[in-house]
Amino acid sequence: MGLQCMGLETVGVIEKMVQLTTEQRTFVVTTFHQTGSLQRTRDAFRERFPEREPPAAKTIWANVRKYQEHGTSVNRNKENSGRRRTGRSEINIAAVKQQLLEHPRDTSARRNGTGLPSATFNRITRLDLHQHPYRIHIRHQLSPRHFARRLVLAKWLIARCEADVNFLRYLVIGDEADFAIDGKVKTHNVLEHAPTGQSPEFNFDTNMNRQKWTVWLGLCGSGQVIGPFFFQRNVNGNRYLQMINDDVLPQLEENFERQVGGVFKYLWWAQDGAPAHRLTAVRDRLRELFGDRVIALNHAVEWPPRSPDLTPCGYFLWGHLKNKVFVTPPRDLDELQGRIRHEVDALRNDPALVRLAVQGMLRRCELCVERGGGHVEGEGA
């Protein structure tokens, strides 16, 4: 099913890849000298220029070094005389134009198919062909009613973290994702050039009947990983309930203390509103295990719909695992399962990374409030 057919479920969002303006370069250099911190510089940039992503650390360093060496971070040779640049010759311009016509989606500056240096390729596409690279971002489409529900959860979590600095350490948040034999659409590798101001129409087809594993994993704010648990069929409410009782519960009992009545002490459980999660028996079982400390649909604290950008499973876990699992295509389902287990074990051995991912929920909820309930994808954990 192509992305354009997903209606209210998902939409493709096109991001124009742009360079820093002179004002932005000056702001980056000045802020870094004032704070001495890359992260504070990026945070300040995000507040000053909310319409674009903050520059990477290497970009900040490059501008700071240039200022230290030359007294400015601006290219003072632009439009001035100097060594004649031969890269932008008519032959090279024609070669780049032909490459973009024949391979519109698998051509990047580094893998441009012309043999030209990436810098030359970028200059030709930008200055001579007036083309810009665009990347696709997948996100759930939101309406005003979704904004309001996202704001409720975001404000609640912020207040909870202010009242209890250890709140996220006692949070377990789980989710399912499909791992198919033929891999996934790696959107960060999908690049298309288009004229300035004319975003391309992205369309990718997926085979819904492909061989796959459905995998459930849980991340604990204290650093533990629960799972993985595998399903070859769709996850319905009964299978989800059986997984909680037979698989999840024993692992939680290894790491967290339960009260005499059976309810876990301090522990919170969070899940999205997938149909399997809404079964009445599932809801009742979660209340037996966690009392009123459940964040989900049909509970006192609701997890808002269409909000994977607020959960570490959505903004960190699945992308992290799939980038490692699908480095090369797996031969069969057995090999695919083995790779998933291997990468989950590696993540389990890095509790600091798991803690950092869960703690990223607070920053994302703060951004969600700043944006009136809007999307916060693209922000790091």
Side-chain angles (χ1 to χ4, degrees):
M1 180 171 62
L3 289 179
Q4 82 283 8
C5 298
M6 293 189 181
L8 293 178
E9 291 303 317
T10 57
V11 293
V13 179
I14 309 304
E15 179 186 76
K16 180 180 175 183
M17 308 300 293
V18 298
Q19 296 179 340
L20 294 180
T21 64
T22 300
E23 178 187 4
Q24 291 167 345
R25 285 195 298 267
T26 302
F27 180 82
V28 163
V29 173
T30 302
T31 305
F32 180 82
H33 278 289
Q34 291 174 346
T35 64
S37 167
L38 290 172
Q39 187 57 52
R40 290 181 181 177
T41 301
R42 297 184 82 245
D43 291 341
F45 186 97
R46 186 184 289 110
E47 295 179 1
R48 175 71 177 273
F49 305 102
E51 72 281 357
R52 67 150 296 167
E53 296 298 320
K58 64 179 182 181
T59 302
I60 297 175
W61 277 121
N63 281 277
V64 170
R65 281 198 304 270
K66 187 171 183 179
Y67 181 86
Q68 292 172 339
E69 295 173 0
H70 303 288
T72 179
S73 63
V74 178
N75 183 5
R76 306 181 77 172
N77 288 323
K78 186 175 182 180
E79 308 298 339
N80 292 335
S81 60
R83 181 177 66 85
R84 184 171 178 267
R85 295 189 173 184
T86 59
R88 289 167 53 200
S89 64
E90 293 185 4
I91 294 177
N92 288 344
I93 293 172
V96 171
K97 183 176 181 179
Q98 187 65 24
Q99 176 69 16
L100 294 179
L101 288 174
E102 295 179 355
H103 304 280
R105 284 189 179 157
D106 55 1
T107 297
S108 67
R110 288 185 299 170
R111 298 182 295 275
N112 57 61
T114 64
L116 295 173
S118 59
T120 300
F121 179 87
N122 277 332
R123 283 195 294 269
I124 289 175
T125 56
R126 178 167 49 89
L127 301 177
D128 299 298
L129 301 180
H130 305 291
Q131 301 267 321
H132 293 273
Y134 293 81
R135 285 198 177 113
I136 185 172
H137 288 265
I138 309 300
R139 68 186 183 189
H140 289 250
Q141 184 172 337
L142 299 177
S143 66
R145 62 187 179 90
H146 295 125
F147 295 148
R149 294 166 78 177
R150 284 163 58 88
L151 279 173
V152 170
L153 183 279
K155 292 179 180 179
W156 177 88
L157 188 140
I158 293 170
R160 189 77 195 191
C161 290
E162 290 176 349
D164 180 4
V165 294
N166 291 317
F167 167 71
L168 290 176
R169 292 185 62 85
Y170 291 100
L171 178 67
V172 178
I173 185 162
D175 195 15
E176 303 94 1
D178 289 341
F179 286 71
I181 285 291
D182 56 353
K184 68 184 184 72
V185 176
K186 298 180 179 177
T187 56
H188 62 281
N189 287 336
V190 177
L191 197 71
E192 182 164 341
H193 286 77
T196 305
Q198 298 181 24
S199 300
E201 292 291 335
F202 284 99
N203 177 30
F204 299 96
D205 294 328
T206 58
N207 180 4
M208 302 304 290
N209 297 317
R210 55 189 177 173
Q211 287 185 299
K212 65 180 182 180
W213 286 109
T214 297
V215 182
W216 186 94
L217 276 167
L219 297 181
C220 306
S222 53
Q224 289 91 348
V225 177
I226 307 299
F229 307 123
F230 295 84
F231 303 85
Q232 276 196 291
R233 295 180 292 173
N234 290 334
V235 183
N236 59 27
N238 291 326
R239 297 190 187 104
Y240 185 69
L241 177 60
Q242 182 179 4
M243 179 200 71
I244 291 175
N245 289 327
D246 297 345
D247 301 315
V248 175
L249 185 55
Q251 291 197 18
L252 289 179
E253 289 177 327
E254 291 179 3
N255 298 293
F256 301 98
E257 184 181 357
R258 296 179 68 177
Q259 296 173 344
V260 176
V263 179
F264 281 96
K265 286 185 175 180
Y266 315 118
L267 202 60
W268 282 79
W269 175 273
Q271 63 183 27
D272 64 21
H277 302 173
R278 302 200 298 264
L279 187 70
T280 300
V282 170
R283 183 170 68 242
D284 293 342
R285 182 56 171 154
L286 292 178
R287 284 177 176 149
E288 291 175 359
L289 295 173
F290 303 99
D292 60 356
R293 296 191 298 274
V294 178
I295 306 173
L297 287 178
N298 302 317
H299 288 265
V301 182
E302 180 194 66
W303 184 266
R306 303 185 181 185
S307 301
D309 55 329
L310 299 181
T311 166
C313 298
Y315 61 74
F316 162 73
L317 177 63
W318 302 127
H320 172 81
L321 290 180
K322 289 185 177 182
N323 285 338
K324 293 179 177 296
V325 167
F326 294 112
V327 171
T328 58
R331 293 188 301 270
D332 51 37
L333 286 174
D334 289 339
E335 181 179 346
L336 176 58
Q337 185 181 81
R339 291 189 187 186
I340 295 170
R341 291 187 183 278
H342 175 78
E343 295 303 336
V344 172
D345 286 341
L347 183 61
R348 201 188 318 275
N349 292 326
D350 192 356
L353 180 59
V354 177
R355 287 193 295 269
L356 182 64
V358 177
Q359 290 166 4
M361 292 181 68
L362 177 58
R363 174 58 181 161
R364 284 172 170 266
C365 283
E366 291 171 344
L367 288 172
C368 183
V369 172
E370 292 175 9
R371 297 173 186 181
H375 288 290
V376 296
E377 80 286 339
E379 303 296 335

